[in-house]
mmCIF file with all atom_site columns, all heavy atoms in Angstrom:
data_model
loop_
_atom_site.group_PDB
_atom_site.id
_atom_site.type_symbol
_atom_site.label_atom_id
_atom_site.label_alt_id
_atom_site.label_comp_id
_atom_site.label_asym_id
_atom_site.label_entity_id
_atom_site.label_seq_id
_atom_site.pdbx_PDB_ins_code
_atom_site.Cartn_x
_atom_site.Cartn_y
_atom_site.Cartn_z
_atom_site.occupancy
_atom_site.B_iso_or_equiv
_atom_site.pdbx_formal_charge
_atom_site.auth_seq_id
_atom_site.auth_comp_id
_atom_site.auth_asym_id
_atom_site.auth_atom_id
_atom_site.pdbx_PDB_model_num
ATOM 1   N N   . LEU A 1 1  ? -4.322 -9.558  33.551 1.00 82.00 ? 67 LEU A N   1
ATOM 2   C CA  . LEU A 1 1  ? -5.570 -9.044  34.014 1.00 82.00 ? 67 LEU A CA  1
ATOM 3   C C   . LEU A 1 1  ? -5.969 -9.522  35.233 1.00 82.00 ? 67 LEU A C   1
ATOM 4   O O   . LEU A 1 1  ? -6.986 -9.048  35.946 1.00 82.00 ? 67 LEU A O   1
ATOM 5   C CB  . LEU A 1 1  ? -6.760 -9.432  33.034 1.00 82.00 ? 67 LEU A CB  1
ATOM 6   C CG  . LEU A 1 1  ? -6.586 -8.699  31.614 1.00 82.00 ? 67 LEU A CG  1
ATOM 7   C CD1 . LEU A 1 1  ? -7.700 -9.160  30.659 1.00 82.00 ? 67 LEU A CD1 1
ATOM 8   C CD2 . LEU A 1 1  ? -6.542 -7.267  31.732 1.00 82.00 ? 67 LEU A CD2 1
ATOM 9   N N   . LEU A 1 2  ? -5.268 -10.507 35.886 1.00 79.00 ? 68 LEU A N   1
ATOM 10  C CA  . LEU A 1 2  ? -5.555 -11.017 37.237 1.00 79.00 ? 68 LEU A CA  1
ATOM 11  C C   . LEU A 1 2  ? -5.172 -9.902  38.282 1.00 79.00 ? 68 LEU A C   1
ATOM 12  O O   . LEU A 1 2  ? -4.176 -9.256  38.081 1.00 79.00 ? 68 LEU A O   1
ATOM 13  C CB  . LEU A 1 2  ? -4.733 -12.242 37.556 1.00 79.00 ? 68 LEU A CB  1
ATOM 14  C CG  . LEU A 1 2  ? -5.100 -13.448 36.753 1.00 79.00 ? 68 LEU A CG  1
ATOM 15  C CD1 . LEU A 1 2  ? -4.119 -14.591 36.910 1.00 79.00 ? 68 LEU A CD1 1
ATOM 16  C CD2 . LEU A 1 2  ? -6.517 -13.974 37.104 1.00 79.00 ? 68 LEU A CD2 1
ATOM 17  N N   . PRO A 1 3  ? -6.006 -9.675  39.320 1.00 77.00 ? 69 PRO A N   1
ATOM 18  C CA  . PRO A 1 3  ? -5.693 -8.691  40.235 1.00 77.00 ? 69 PRO A CA  1
ATOM 19  C C   . PRO A 1 3  ? -4.368 -8.921  40.921 1.00 77.00 ? 69 PRO A C   1
ATOM 20  O O   . PRO A 1 3  ? -4.041 -10.104 41.372 1.00 77.00 ? 69 PRO A O   1
ATOM 21  C CB  . PRO A 1 3  ? -6.808 -8.795  41.259 1.00 77.00 ? 69 PRO A CB  1
ATOM 22  C CG  . PRO A 1 3  ? -7.846 -9.637  40.661 1.00 77.00 ? 69 PRO A CG  1
ATOM 23  C CD  . PRO A 1 3  ? -7.221 -10.479 39.587 1.00 77.00 ? 69 PRO A CD  1
ATOM 24  N N   . LYS A 1 4  ? -3.573 -7.809  41.135 1.00 77.00 ? 70 LYS A N   1
ATOM 25  C CA  . LYS A 1 4  ? -2.354 -7.836  41.820 1.00 77.00 ? 70 LYS A CA  1
ATOM 26  C C   . LYS A 1 4  ? -1.258 -8.659  41.172 1.00 77.00 ? 70 LYS A C   1
ATOM 27  O O   . LYS A 1 4  ? -0.317 -9.171  41.800 1.00 77.00 ? 70 LYS A O   1
ATOM 28  C CB  . LYS A 1 4  ? -2.493 -8.297  43.244 1.00 77.00 ? 70 LYS A CB  1
ATOM 29  C CG  . LYS A 1 4  ? -3.456 -7.339  44.021 1.00 77.00 ? 70 LYS A CG  1
ATOM 30  C CD  . LYS A 1 4  ? -3.595 -7.772  45.488 1.00 77.00 ? 70 LYS A CD  1
ATOM 31  C CE  . LYS A 1 4  ? -4.564 -6.865  46.228 1.00 77.00 ? 70 LYS A CE  1
ATOM 32  N NZ  . LYS A 1 4  ? -4.724 -7.352  47.548 1.00 77.00 ? 70 LYS A NZ  1
ATOM 33  N N   . ILE A 1 5  ? -1.423 -8.988  39.841 1.00 77.00 ? 71 ILE A N   1
ATOM 34  C CA  . ILE A 1 5  ? -0.394 -9.824  39.147 1.00 77.00 ? 71 ILE A CA  1
ATOM 35  C C   . ILE A 1 5  ? 0.355  -8.961  38.210 1.00 77.00 ? 71 ILE A C   1
ATOM 36  O O   . ILE A 1 5  ? -0.271 -8.320  37.319 1.00 77.00 ? 71 ILE A O   1
ATOM 37  C CB  . ILE A 1 5  ? -1.123 -10.997 38.395 1.00 77.00 ? 71 ILE A CB  1
ATOM 38  C CG1 . ILE A 1 5  ? -1.776 -11.882 39.325 1.00 77.00 ? 71 ILE A CG1 1
ATOM 39  C CG2 . ILE A 1 5  ? -0.106 -11.728 37.636 1.00 77.00 ? 71 ILE A CG2 1
ATOM 40  C CD1 . ILE A 1 5  ? -0.890 -12.668 40.305 1.00 77.00 ? 71 ILE A CD1 1
ATOM 41  N N   . GLU A 1 6  ? 1.670  -8.827  38.394 1.00 78.00 ? 72 GLU A N   1
ATOM 42  C CA  . GLU A 1 6  ? 2.546  -8.130  37.527 1.00 78.00 ? 72 GLU A CA  1
ATOM 43  C C   . GLU A 1 6  ? 3.586  -9.125  37.007 1.00 78.00 ? 72 GLU A C   1
ATOM 44  O O   . GLU A 1 6  ? 3.662  -10.190 37.496 1.00 78.00 ? 72 GLU A O   1
ATOM 45  C CB  . GLU A 1 6  ? 3.280  -7.071  38.313 1.00 78.00 ? 72 GLU A CB  1
ATOM 46  C CG  . GLU A 1 6  ? 2.334  -6.017  38.983 1.00 78.00 ? 72 GLU A CG  1
ATOM 47  C CD  . GLU A 1 6  ? 3.079  -5.195  40.002 1.00 78.00 ? 72 GLU A CD  1
ATOM 48  O OE1 . GLU A 1 6  ? 4.161  -5.347  40.270 1.00 78.00 ? 72 GLU A OE1 1
ATOM 49  O OE2 . GLU A 1 6  ? 2.335  -4.163  40.409 1.00 78.00 ? 72 GLU A OE2 1
ATOM 50  N N   . SER A 1 7  ? 4.279  -8.736  35.951 1.00 78.00 ? 73 SER A N   1
ATOM 51  C CA  . SER A 1 7  ? 5.336  -9.594  35.429 1.00 78.00 ? 73 SER A CA  1
ATOM 52  C C   . SER A 1 7  ? 6.365  -10.144 36.492 1.00 78.00 ? 73 SER A C   1
ATOM 53  O O   . SER A 1 7  ? 6.774  -11.293 36.373 1.00 78.00 ? 73 SER A O   1
ATOM 54  C CB  . SER A 1 7  ? 6.085  -8.959  34.257 1.00 78.00 ? 73 SER A CB  1
ATOM 55  O OG  . SER A 1 7  ? 6.744  -7.732  34.719 1.00 78.00 ? 73 SER A OG  1
ATOM 56  N N   . VAL A 1 8  ? 6.671  -9.295  37.436 1.00 83.00 ? 74 VAL A N   1
ATOM 57  C CA  . VAL A 1 8  ? 7.589  -9.752  38.516 1.00 83.00 ? 74 VAL A CA  1
ATOM 58  C C   . VAL A 1 8  ? 6.978  -10.864 39.283 1.00 83.00 ? 74 VAL A C   1
ATOM 59  O O   . VAL A 1 8  ? 7.575  -11.832 39.669 1.00 83.00 ? 74 VAL A O   1
ATOM 60  C CB  . VAL A 1 8  ? 7.937  -8.498  39.383 1.00 83.00 ? 74 VAL A CB  1
ATOM 61  C CG1 . VAL A 1 8  ? 8.826  -8.948  40.555 1.00 83.00 ? 74 VAL A CG1 1
ATOM 62  C CG2 . VAL A 1 8  ? 8.751  -7.524  38.627 1.00 83.00 ? 74 VAL A CG2 1
ATOM 63  N N   . VAL A 1 9  ? 5.731  -10.744 39.604 1.00 82.00 ? 75 VAL A N   1
ATOM 64  C CA  . VAL A 1 9  ? 4.979  -11.774 40.373 1.00 82.00 ? 75 VAL A CA  1
ATOM 65  C C   . VAL A 1 9  ? 4.974  -13.142 39.526 1.00 82.00 ? 75 VAL A C   1
ATOM 66  O O   . VAL A 1 9  ? 5.158  -14.236 40.145 1.00 82.00 ? 75 VAL A O   1
ATOM 67  C CB  . VAL A 1 9  ? 3.512  -11.390 40.742 1.00 82.00 ? 75 VAL A CB  1
ATOM 68  C CG1 . VAL A 1 9  ? 2.783  -12.490 41.372 1.00 82.00 ? 75 VAL A CG1 1
ATOM 69  C CG2 . VAL A 1 9  ? 3.597  -10.134 41.651 1.00 82.00 ? 75 VAL A CG2 1
ATOM 70  N N   . ILE A 1 10 ? 4.630  -12.960 38.254 1.00 82.00 ? 76 ILE A N   1
ATOM 71  C CA  . ILE A 1 10 ? 4.570  -14.176 37.414 1.00 82.00 ? 76 ILE A CA  1
ATOM 72  C C   . ILE A 1 10 ? 6.010  -14.897 37.285 1.00 82.00 ? 76 ILE A C   1
ATOM 73  O O   . ILE A 1 10 ? 6.023  -16.069 37.442 1.00 82.00 ? 76 ILE A O   1
ATOM 74  C CB  . ILE A 1 10 ? 4.102  -13.791 36.015 1.00 82.00 ? 76 ILE A CB  1
ATOM 75  C CG1 . ILE A 1 10 ? 2.715  -13.341 36.026 1.00 82.00 ? 76 ILE A CG1 1
ATOM 76  C CG2 . ILE A 1 10 ? 4.276  -15.026 35.035 1.00 82.00 ? 76 ILE A CG2 1
ATOM 77  C CD1 . ILE A 1 10 ? 2.139  -12.730 34.727 1.00 82.00 ? 76 ILE A CD1 1
ATOM 78  N N   . LEU A 1 11 ? 7.029  -14.084 37.226 1.00 85.00 ? 77 LEU A N   1
ATOM 79  C CA  . LEU A 1 11 ? 8.387  -14.666 37.276 1.00 85.00 ? 77 LEU A CA  1
ATOM 80  C C   . LEU A 1 11 ? 8.689  -15.323 38.573 1.00 85.00 ? 77 LEU A C   1
ATOM 81  O O   . LEU A 1 11 ? 9.274  -16.382 38.704 1.00 85.00 ? 77 LEU A O   1
ATOM 82  C CB  . LEU A 1 11 ? 9.480  -13.630 36.930 1.00 85.00 ? 77 LEU A CB  1
ATOM 83  C CG  . LEU A 1 11 ? 9.367  -13.085 35.502 1.00 85.00 ? 77 LEU A CG  1
ATOM 84  C CD1 . LEU A 1 11 ? 10.373 -11.995 35.254 1.00 85.00 ? 77 LEU A CD1 1
ATOM 85  C CD2 . LEU A 1 11 ? 9.521  -14.178 34.474 1.00 85.00 ? 77 LEU A CD2 1
ATOM 86  N N   . SER A 1 12 ? 8.231  -14.749 39.676 1.00 89.00 ? 78 SER A N   1
ATOM 87  C CA  . SER A 1 12 ? 8.480  -15.338 40.992 1.00 89.00 ? 78 SER A CA  1
ATOM 88  C C   . SER A 1 12 ? 7.732  -16.604 41.155 1.00 89.00 ? 78 SER A C   1
ATOM 89  O O   . SER A 1 12 ? 8.191  -17.593 41.648 1.00 89.00 ? 78 SER A O   1
ATOM 90  C CB  . SER A 1 12 ? 7.962  -14.327 42.101 1.00 89.00 ? 78 SER A CB  1
ATOM 91  O OG  . SER A 1 12 ? 8.024  -14.933 43.410 1.00 89.00 ? 78 SER A OG  1
ATOM 92  N N   . VAL A 1 13 ? 6.535  -16.695 40.567 1.00 86.00 ? 79 VAL A N   1
ATOM 93  C CA  . VAL A 1 13 ? 5.697  -17.914 40.588 1.00 86.00 ? 79 VAL A CA  1
ATOM 94  C C   . VAL A 1 13 ? 6.441  -19.015 39.726 1.00 86.00 ? 79 VAL A C   1
ATOM 95  O O   . VAL A 1 13 ? 6.463  -20.131 40.145 1.00 86.00 ? 79 VAL A O   1
ATOM 96  C CB  . VAL A 1 13 ? 4.323  -17.703 40.053 1.00 86.00 ? 79 VAL A CB  1
ATOM 97  C CG1 . VAL A 1 13 ? 3.543  -19.007 39.721 1.00 86.00 ? 79 VAL A CG1 1
ATOM 98  C CG2 . VAL A 1 13 ? 3.489  -16.857 40.977 1.00 86.00 ? 79 VAL A CG2 1
ATOM 99  N N   . VAL A 1 14 ? 7.000  -18.683 38.672 1.00 88.00 ? 80 VAL A N   1
ATOM 100 C CA  . VAL A 1 14 ? 7.758  -19.575 37.839 1.00 88.00 ? 80 VAL A CA  1
ATOM 101 C C   . VAL A 1 14 ? 8.839  -20.139 38.507 1.00 88.00 ? 80 VAL A C   1
ATOM 102 O O   . VAL A 1 14 ? 9.179  -21.392 38.509 1.00 88.00 ? 80 VAL A O   1
ATOM 103 C CB  . VAL A 1 14 ? 8.113  -18.888 36.468 1.00 88.00 ? 80 VAL A CB  1
ATOM 104 C CG1 . VAL A 1 14 ? 9.171  -19.830 35.674 1.00 88.00 ? 80 VAL A CG1 1
ATOM 105 C CG2 . VAL A 1 14 ? 6.947  -18.610 35.612 1.00 88.00 ? 80 VAL A CG2 1
ATOM 106 N N   . VAL A 1 15 ? 9.614  -19.340 39.221 1.00 92.00 ? 81 VAL A N   1
ATOM 107 C CA  . VAL A 1 15 ? 10.815 -19.809 39.942 1.00 92.00 ? 81 VAL A CA  1
ATOM 108 C C   . VAL A 1 15 ? 10.335 -20.777 41.138 1.00 92.00 ? 81 VAL A C   1
ATOM 109 O O   . VAL A 1 15 ? 10.931 -21.812 41.310 1.00 92.00 ? 81 VAL A O   1
ATOM 110 C CB  . VAL A 1 15 ? 11.554 -18.640 40.639 1.00 92.00 ? 81 VAL A CB  1
ATOM 111 C CG1 . VAL A 1 15 ? 12.611 -19.128 41.670 1.00 92.00 ? 81 VAL A CG1 1
ATOM 112 C CG2 . VAL A 1 15 ? 12.273 -17.814 39.511 1.00 92.00 ? 81 VAL A CG2 1
ATOM 113 N N   . ASP A 1 16 ? 9.212  -20.418 41.824 1.00 93.00 ? 82 ASP A N   1
ATOM 114 C CA  . ASP A 1 16 ? 8.625  -21.353 42.807 1.00 93.00 ? 82 ASP A CA  1
ATOM 115 C C   . ASP A 1 16 ? 8.204  -22.686 42.225 1.00 93.00 ? 82 ASP A C   1
ATOM 116 O O   . ASP A 1 16 ? 8.425  -23.711 42.812 1.00 93.00 ? 82 ASP A O   1
ATOM 117 C CB  . ASP A 1 16 ? 7.452  -20.744 43.543 1.00 93.00 ? 82 ASP A CB  1
ATOM 118 C CG  . ASP A 1 16 ? 7.844  -19.545 44.376 1.00 93.00 ? 82 ASP A CG  1
ATOM 119 O OD1 . ASP A 1 16 ? 9.036  -19.418 44.739 1.00 93.00 ? 82 ASP A OD1 1
ATOM 120 O OD2 . ASP A 1 16 ? 6.905  -18.795 44.725 1.00 93.00 ? 82 ASP A OD2 1
ATOM 121 N N   . LEU A 1 17 ? 7.648  -22.712 41.004 1.00 90.00 ? 83 LEU A N   1
ATOM 122 C CA  . LEU A 1 17 ? 7.222  -23.950 40.268 1.00 90.00 ? 83 LEU A CA  1
ATOM 123 C C   . LEU A 1 17 ? 8.414  -24.745 39.972 1.00 90.00 ? 83 LEU A C   1
ATOM 124 O O   . LEU A 1 17 ? 8.372  -25.960 40.013 1.00 90.00 ? 83 LEU A O   1
ATOM 125 C CB  . LEU A 1 17 ? 6.399  -23.563 39.042 1.00 90.00 ? 83 LEU A CB  1
ATOM 126 C CG  . LEU A 1 17 ? 5.021  -23.034 39.291 1.00 90.00 ? 83 LEU A CG  1
ATOM 127 C CD1 . LEU A 1 17 ? 4.471  -22.414 37.990 1.00 90.00 ? 83 LEU A CD1 1
ATOM 128 C CD2 . LEU A 1 17 ? 4.110  -24.057 39.849 1.00 90.00 ? 83 LEU A CD2 1
ATOM 129 N N   . GLU A 1 18 ? 9.505  -24.046 39.420 1.00 92.00 ? 84 GLU A N   1
ATOM 130 C CA  . GLU A 1 18 ? 10.736 -24.739 39.149 1.00 92.00 ? 84 GLU A CA  1
ATOM 131 C C   . GLU A 1 18 ? 11.241 -25.540 40.364 1.00 92.00 ? 84 GLU A C   1
ATOM 132 O O   . GLU A 1 18 ? 11.556 -26.709 40.239 1.00 92.00 ? 84 GLU A O   1
ATOM 133 C CB  . GLU A 1 18 ? 11.814 -23.891 38.675 1.00 92.00 ? 84 GLU A CB  1
ATOM 134 C CG  . GLU A 1 18 ? 11.666 -23.327 37.254 1.00 92.00 ? 84 GLU A CG  1
ATOM 135 C CD  . GLU A 1 18 ? 12.707 -22.466 36.854 1.00 92.00 ? 84 GLU A CD  1
ATOM 136 O OE1 . GLU A 1 18 ? 13.161 -21.509 37.494 1.00 92.00 ? 84 GLU A OE1 1
ATOM 137 O OE2 . GLU A 1 18 ? 13.163 -22.546 35.669 1.00 92.00 ? 84 GLU A OE2 1
ATOM 138 N N   . ASP A 1 19 ? 11.284 -24.925 41.490 1.00 95.00 ? 85 ASP A N   1
ATOM 139 C CA  . ASP A 1 19 ? 11.723 -25.543 42.748 1.00 95.00 ? 85 ASP A CA  1
ATOM 140 C C   . ASP A 1 19 ? 10.768 -26.618 43.165 1.00 95.00 ? 85 ASP A C   1
ATOM 141 O O   . ASP A 1 19 ? 11.237 -27.739 43.502 1.00 95.00 ? 85 ASP A O   1
ATOM 142 C CB  . ASP A 1 19 ? 11.829 -24.441 43.827 1.00 95.00 ? 85 ASP A CB  1
ATOM 143 C CG  . ASP A 1 19 ? 12.899 -23.450 43.614 1.00 95.00 ? 85 ASP A CG  1
ATOM 144 O OD1 . ASP A 1 19 ? 13.830 -23.692 42.787 1.00 95.00 ? 85 ASP A OD1 1
ATOM 145 O OD2 . ASP A 1 19 ? 12.832 -22.443 44.244 1.00 95.00 ? 85 ASP A OD2 1
ATOM 146 N N   . ALA A 1 20 ? 9.496  -26.377 43.112 1.00 94.00 ? 86 ALA A N   1
ATOM 147 C CA  . ALA A 1 20 ? 8.518  -27.370 43.629 1.00 94.00 ? 86 ALA A CA  1
ATOM 148 C C   . ALA A 1 20 ? 8.451  -28.641 42.656 1.00 94.00 ? 86 ALA A C   1
ATOM 149 O O   . ALA A 1 20 ? 8.270  -29.767 43.135 1.00 94.00 ? 86 ALA A O   1
ATOM 150 C CB  . ALA A 1 20 ? 7.140  -26.809 43.708 1.00 94.00 ? 86 ALA A CB  1
ATOM 151 N N   . LEU A 1 21 ? 8.584  -28.384 41.421 1.00 92.00 ? 87 LEU A N   1
ATOM 152 C CA  . LEU A 1 21 ? 8.484  -29.522 40.416 1.00 92.00 ? 87 LEU A CA  1
ATOM 153 C C   . LEU A 1 21 ? 9.788  -30.061 39.906 1.00 92.00 ? 87 LEU A C   1
ATOM 154 O O   . LEU A 1 21 ? 9.728  -30.995 39.146 1.00 92.00 ? 87 LEU A O   1
ATOM 155 C CB  . LEU A 1 21 ? 7.676  -29.051 39.280 1.00 92.00 ? 87 LEU A CB  1
ATOM 156 C CG  . LEU A 1 21 ? 6.224  -28.445 39.539 1.00 92.00 ? 87 LEU A CG  1
ATOM 157 C CD1 . LEU A 1 21 ? 5.604  -27.861 38.352 1.00 92.00 ? 87 LEU A CD1 1
ATOM 158 C CD2 . LEU A 1 21 ? 5.394  -29.634 40.180 1.00 92.00 ? 87 LEU A CD2 1
ATOM 159 N N   . SER A 1 22 ? 10.842 -29.456 40.387 1.00 92.00 ? 88 SER A N   1
ATOM 160 C CA  . SER A 1 22 ? 12.167 -29.906 39.966 1.00 92.00 ? 88 SER A CA  1
ATOM 161 C C   . SER A 1 22 ? 12.197 -29.908 38.502 1.00 92.00 ? 88 SER A C   1
ATOM 162 O O   . SER A 1 22 ? 12.717 -30.883 37.753 1.00 92.00 ? 88 SER A O   1
ATOM 163 C CB  . SER A 1 22 ? 12.523 -31.242 40.558 1.00 92.00 ? 88 SER A CB  1
ATOM 164 O OG  . SER A 1 22 ? 12.613 -31.227 41.965 1.00 92.00 ? 88 SER A OG  1
ATOM 165 N N   . VAL A 1 23 ? 11.955 -28.865 37.780 1.00 92.00 ? 89 VAL A N   1
ATOM 166 C CA  . VAL A 1 23 ? 11.876 -28.700 36.356 1.00 92.00 ? 89 VAL A CA  1
ATOM 167 C C   . VAL A 1 23 ? 12.609 -27.355 35.998 1.00 92.00 ? 89 VAL A C   1
ATOM 168 O O   . VAL A 1 23 ? 12.421 -26.380 36.712 1.00 92.00 ? 89 VAL A O   1
ATOM 169 C CB  . VAL A 1 23 ? 10.549 -28.857 35.735 1.00 92.00 ? 89 VAL A CB  1
ATOM 170 C CG1 . VAL A 1 23 ? 9.646  -27.781 36.140 1.00 92.00 ? 89 VAL A CG1 1
ATOM 171 C CG2 . VAL A 1 23 ? 10.500 -28.938 34.240 1.00 92.00 ? 89 VAL A CG2 1
ATOM 172 N N   . ALA A 1 24 ? 13.325 -27.352 34.952 1.00 92.00 ? 90 ALA A N   1
ATOM 173 C CA  . ALA A 1 24 ? 13.880 -26.034 34.443 1.00 92.00 ? 90 ALA A CA  1
ATOM 174 C C   . ALA A 1 24 ? 12.872 -25.519 33.467 1.00 92.00 ? 90 ALA A C   1
ATOM 175 O O   . ALA A 1 24 ? 12.611 -26.174 32.425 1.00 92.00 ? 90 ALA A O   1
ATOM 176 C CB  . ALA A 1 24 ? 15.245 -26.342 33.828 1.00 92.00 ? 90 ALA A CB  1
ATOM 177 N N   . ILE A 1 25 ? 12.464 -24.308 33.705 1.00 90.00 ? 91 ILE A N   1
ATOM 178 C CA  . ILE A 1 25 ? 11.515 -23.645 32.788 1.00 90.00 ? 91 ILE A CA  1
ATOM 179 C C   . ILE A 1 25 ? 12.321 -22.645 31.955 1.00 90.00 ? 91 ILE A C   1
ATOM 180 O O   . ILE A 1 25 ? 12.743 -21.627 32.595 1.00 90.00 ? 91 ILE A O   1
ATOM 181 C CB  . ILE A 1 25 ? 10.288 -23.045 33.593 1.00 90.00 ? 91 ILE A CB  1
ATOM 182 C CG1 . ILE A 1 25 ? 9.587  -24.125 34.396 1.00 90.00 ? 91 ILE A CG1 1
ATOM 183 C CG2 . ILE A 1 25 ? 9.348  -22.320 32.658 1.00 90.00 ? 91 ILE A CG2 1
ATOM 184 C CD1 . ILE A 1 25 ? 8.553  -23.601 35.384 1.00 90.00 ? 91 ILE A CD1 1
ATOM 185 N N   . PRO A 1 26 ? 12.385 -22.750 30.648 1.00 90.00 ? 92 PRO A N   1
ATOM 186 C CA  . PRO A 1 26 ? 13.063 -21.774 29.852 1.00 90.00 ? 92 PRO A CA  1
ATOM 187 C C   . PRO A 1 26 ? 12.437 -20.385 30.010 1.00 90.00 ? 92 PRO A C   1
ATOM 188 O O   . PRO A 1 26 ? 11.307 -20.203 30.298 1.00 90.00 ? 92 PRO A O   1
ATOM 189 C CB  . PRO A 1 26 ? 12.806 -22.296 28.398 1.00 90.00 ? 92 PRO A CB  1
ATOM 190 C CG  . PRO A 1 26 ? 12.528 -23.709 28.594 1.00 90.00 ? 92 PRO A CG  1
ATOM 191 C CD  . PRO A 1 26 ? 11.780 -23.811 29.875 1.00 90.00 ? 92 PRO A CD  1
ATOM 192 N N   . ASP A 1 27 ? 13.283 -19.340 29.999 1.00 87.00 ? 93 ASP A N   1
ATOM 193 C CA  . ASP A 1 27 ? 12.947 -17.924 30.123 1.00 87.00 ? 93 ASP A CA  1
ATOM 194 C C   . ASP A 1 27 ? 11.809 -17.520 29.258 1.00 87.00 ? 93 ASP A C   1
ATOM 195 O O   . ASP A 1 27 ? 11.021 -16.608 29.685 1.00 87.00 ? 93 ASP A O   1
ATOM 196 C CB  . ASP A 1 27 ? 14.139 -17.023 29.904 1.00 87.00 ? 93 ASP A CB  1
ATOM 197 C CG  . ASP A 1 27 ? 15.245 -17.289 30.972 1.00 87.00 ? 93 ASP A CG  1
ATOM 198 O OD1 . ASP A 1 27 ? 14.881 -17.817 32.079 1.00 87.00 ? 93 ASP A OD1 1
ATOM 199 O OD2 . ASP A 1 27 ? 16.405 -16.943 30.725 1.00 87.00 ? 93 ASP A OD2 1
#
């Protein structure tokens, strides 16, 4: 429900978080 947020954007954020936090986030 957040403006301009689609599943592709959420997945992109997750990848960025993995890189920034050096953590593997399960799919």
